[in-house]
Amino acid sequence: MTDFRIESDTIGEVKIPAKALWGAQTERSRQNFPTGEKMPLEIIKALLQIKKAAATANKALKTIDGAKADLIVAAIDTLLALSDTALRKDFPLVVYQTGSGTQTNMNVNEVVAHQAAKLNPELEILPNDDVNKGQSSNDLFPTAMNITAAKAVSSLETATQHLIDELKTKQAKYWRTVKIGRTHLQDATPLTFGQEISGWVSALTHDLDYLQTLGKTLSELAIGGTAVGTGLNAAPGFADRIAAKMSEIYHLPFTADTNKFYGLAHHSGLNVVHGAIKTLAADLMKIANDVRFLASGPRAGYGELNIPANEPGSSIMPGKVNPTQAEAITMAAVRVMGNDVVVGLASSQGNFEMNVYKPVLISAFLESAELLTGTMNGFADKMIHGLSVNSERMAELVHRSLMTVTALSPHIGYHESAAIAQAALAAGTDLKTAALKSGLLTEEQYDAWVVPIKMTNIDQQKATHDGTDQGQEG
């Protein structure tokens, strides 16, 4: 028994591994383009679902023999039932191939045709004429791109809400826990940790709204445009049937009522939504950095927060605990920012009737969404959930800060207040000592005016907080 079989395409004969379900065009691509990561399985699964819906639509529209359509559906169901590991074996092509994704489309066509032959050797199913009927790679691949992107964004939205919920729990718990504020990396006036967290929550809530608002554009499917957007060789009603089926499968409101010339040549929707993902990444970078800097220490850093000990932090320093979840999510954020350049440049390459940077664009998009979804869940569950405050350290830093002098300005003036702060710094004393030494106010006045909790205006602000305050008011 030979290890290879011979198949042919319009160019000639090709030697293919004997057990492979793919055919000649897939093998040519496998040999011509061996470099880089594999085409995401999410794209493969979406293409299979679209082709299953296409077979059903063609049967209903009487553009394909009913028995052939049923066999195509059965073959695809067999493939979709496989594990990811098993499915990958027959989809070996990489991202860096033809810019239309044609070779991956043909990979799917050939695998479905060969799987159909295994199920019923008596009924011939042809990759181009049957599996690909009414379709072109040029409309099929961007349809799969939008479907997988919309699905990925839905998961990303869920992860974002989860992190918001975990942060809201901490916001409520520490709503009245006073700490020192910092601007320009220097001491500033006090706020509460709950207030600080509320800023993080608001940023993520805005990011979630951006995703939900902009993500609607991904519902527009290019299917039905075929080769250049005119719909040549696609039956009337074909695209609408597929869009309806995709909506049913993925529980998302897809539509084929779109401009097909736009759908083939432009990927503006993916570009703008990835911009929202990049914005989320930027906010996650800021939040994670805040957390890990505030938790720095425990003896020689800010030391205001206590982070969970998830794993040993050093191979040489015993007992060390590192903010690894923050490190993971910030690395993911950096990757997303790089991917945004890829998506933007790829989106700009819609020459004439088709963009030919499709595979790298969707690969970068899906990587960004997957990275942030996974690292946000880890950050929420393995860092924020177990986060606690070092209230004594927070109170100490508030007491030592010179910027509480700001509360004196309305009473004794800005310049006099600055002189007190400078005197305290020069003498190495606390602010109260320098203030009383100035002779500009009494101890009673100082105690009435410099009240850190009142400086936060906490009682004038609205917040939903159901937890028990574990901190100190100061």
Side-chain angles (χ1 to χ4, degrees), residues 105-437:
N105 179 36
M106 284 308 304
N107 185 185
V108 175
N109 290 333
E110 291 174 344
V111 168
V112 171
H114 281 97
Q115 182 63 35
K118 289 175 66 176
L119 297 178
N120 184 357
E122 303 301 319
L123 183 59
E124 184 180 28
I125 299 294
L126 299 174
N128 293 80
D129 295 334
D130 299 321
V131 185
N132 201 58
K133 190 170 189 62
Q135 309 148 55
S136 164
S137 304
N138 300 356
D139 68 337
L140 188 76
F141 199 85
T143 296
M145 289 168 68
N146 273 28
I147 289 171
T148 56
K151 182 182 175 185
V153 168
S154 179
S155 297
L156 182 60
E157 290 169 357
T158 300
T160 304
Q161 185 60 59
H162 177 51
L163 179 54
I164 288 170
D165 292 342
E166 286 290 342
L167 286 169
K168 280 185 173 180
T169 299
K170 300 301 179 182
Q171 175 185 326
K173 185 173 184 178
Y174 300 118
W175 184 243
R176 298 184 67 84
T177 302
V178 180
K179 66 184 294 291
I180 201 64
R182 296 178 180 89
T183 59
H184 303 271
L185 299 181
Q186 304 295 305
D187 297 356
T189 57
L191 75 165
T192 72
F193 188 44
Q195 288 174 319
E196 189 167 34
I197 296 174
S198 76
W200 303 343
V201 168
S202 183
L204 294 175
T205 302
H206 279 82
D207 294 335
L208 181 57
D209 180 65
Y210 302 149
L211 288 171
Q212 292 170 338
T213 301
L214 296 171
K216 295 174 184 177
T217 188
L218 298 176
S219 67
E220 301 176 19
L221 302 183
I223 194 71
T226 63
V228 297
T230 61
L232 180 66
N233 293 347
F238 174 76
D240 291 331
R241 288 174 179 270
I242 292 176
K245 190 62 179 178
M246 294 303 100
S247 298
E248 177 186 329
I249 292 170
Y250 293 102
H251 307 291
L252 293 167
F254 294 113
T255 179
D257 185 16
T258 59
N259 185 294
K260 306 307 179 185
F261 307 100
Y262 164 83
L264 273 60
H266 302 264
H267 293 302
S268 310
L270 289 163
N271 194 14
V272 74
V273 175
H274 195 276
I277 295 175
K278 182 192 71 172
T279 301
L280 171 61
D283 285 331
L284 290 170
M285 174 78 81
K286 180 263 192 292
I287 293 166
N289 276 336
D290 281 357
V291 170
R292 65 173 167 177
F293 289 140
L294 291 174
S296 62
R299 297 288 177 85
Y302 290 104
E304 293 187 356
L305 300 180
N306 305 308
I307 58 174
N310 295 321
E311 64 272 313
S314 173
S315 62
I316 191 172
M317 294 175 280
K320 198 169 191 294
V321 175
N322 291 333
T324 51
Q325 290 297 323
E327 291 167 2
I329 201 169
T330 53
M331 285 192 290
V334 168
R335 184 70 177 195
V336 170
M337 292 172 190
N339 281 345
D340 194 63
V341 177
V342 174
V343 170
L345 286 173
S347 181
S348 73
Q349 299 304 302
N351 306 121
F352 304 117
E353 276 62 65
M354 189 176 63
N355 180 293
V356 290
Y357 285 69
K358 287 175 168 55
V360 72
L361 195 162
I362 192 58
S363 176
F365 188 105
L366 294 177
E367 181 187 40
S368 292
E370 180 182 0
L371 281 174
L372 290 192
T373 297
T375 55
M376 264 201 294
N377 283 330
F379 188 66
D381 295 337
K382 294 181 170 65
M383 176 164 274
I384 300 301
H385 184 75
L387 192 73
S388 63
V389 303
N390 184 344
S391 55
E392 291 183 1
R393 175 64 171 168
M394 286 183 173
E396 174 197 353
L397 293 177
V398 170
H399 176 72
R400 289 175 53 194
S401 174
L402 303 180
M403 289 302 100
T404 51
V405 76
T406 307
L408 298 180
S409 292
H411 303 284
I412 65 173
Y414 181 92
H415 289 287
E416 290 76 5
S417 298
I420 290 173
Q422 291 163 356
L425 181 62
T429 65
D430 61 29
L431 188 69
K432 183 174 182 179
T433 300
L436 297 183
K437 187 175 181 180

